[in-house]
């Protein structure tokens, strides 16, 4: 047999390895696309979490300003010298306490 005839004959081991390589390529592409889709989903969820965090902070600030104004209104109605009128809460002190608890 000549050299060209030997090259044309398929080597079963080589064919098997080529088939395995093709399968691995398909598997890699499938996993790559799946991970790419997951990355997009994760980034979307992170954006939603950031928006929710900002909204929560804004809602808290609105609630806190309402609470402090209600407290001030109540203190103004109390007689002078009452022990309750000595209590003064500041938004900064509550926020700093909140950071202690969340951290």
């Amino acid at each position: 047999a000549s050299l060209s005839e030997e090259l044309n004959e398929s080597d079963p081991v080589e064919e098997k390895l080529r088939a395995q390589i093709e399968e691995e390529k398909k598997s890699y592409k499938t996993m790559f696309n799946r991970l790419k889709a997951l990355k997009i989903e994760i980034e979307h969820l992170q954006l939603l979490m950031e928006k929710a965090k900002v909204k929560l902070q804004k809602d808290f600030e609105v609630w806190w300003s309402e609470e402090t104004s209600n407290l001030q209104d109540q203190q103004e109605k109390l007689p002078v010298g009452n022990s309750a009128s000595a209590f003064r809460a500041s938004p900064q002190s509550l926020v700093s306490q909140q950071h202690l608890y969340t951290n």
Side-chain angles (χ1 to χ4, degrees):
S2 69
L3 184 61
S4 61
E5 288 175 353
E6 287 180 16
L7 288 175
N8 288 338
E9 290 178 16
S10 61
D11 181 4
V13 176
E14 185 181 343
E15 287 300 316
K16 186 178 178 184
L17 289 174
R18 286 182 189 271
Q20 284 179 344
I21 289 171
E22 288 304 314
E23 284 301 312
E24 289 297 326
K25 280 183 183 178
K26 287 179 187 175
S27 175
Y28 173 83
K29 285 180 183 176
T30 302
M31 292 304 279
F32 180 84
N33 288 330
R34 195 176 296 171
L35 290 172
K36 193 174 176 181
L38 282 173
K39 181 183 176 190
I40 292 169
E41 188 176 345
I42 288 169
E43 288 171 349
H44 177 67
L45 290 171
Q46 286 173 334
L47 182 67
L48 291 177
M49 280 177 53
E50 190 60 34
K51 284 182 178 179
K53 178 182 169 187
V54 170
K55 184 181 183 320
L56 180 66
Q57 288 174 333
K58 285 181 181 176
D59 290 349
F60 173 79
E61 288 170 7
V62 168
W63 172 84
W64 181 253
S65 64
E66 290 172 358
E67 288 296 307
T68 53
S69 67
N70 289 342
L71 184 64
Q72 286 172 354
D73 290 346
Q74 290 173 0
Q75 286 177 349
E76 288 170 5
K77 292 175 185 175
L78 292 174
V80 178
N82 191 322
S83 60
S85 65
F87 174 72
R88 297 271 181 205
S90 69
Q92 291 80 10
S93 66
L94 183 70
V95 169
S96 64
Q97 288 174 0
Q98 179 190 18
H99 285 297
L100 288 175
Y101 291 122
T102 55
N103 293 339

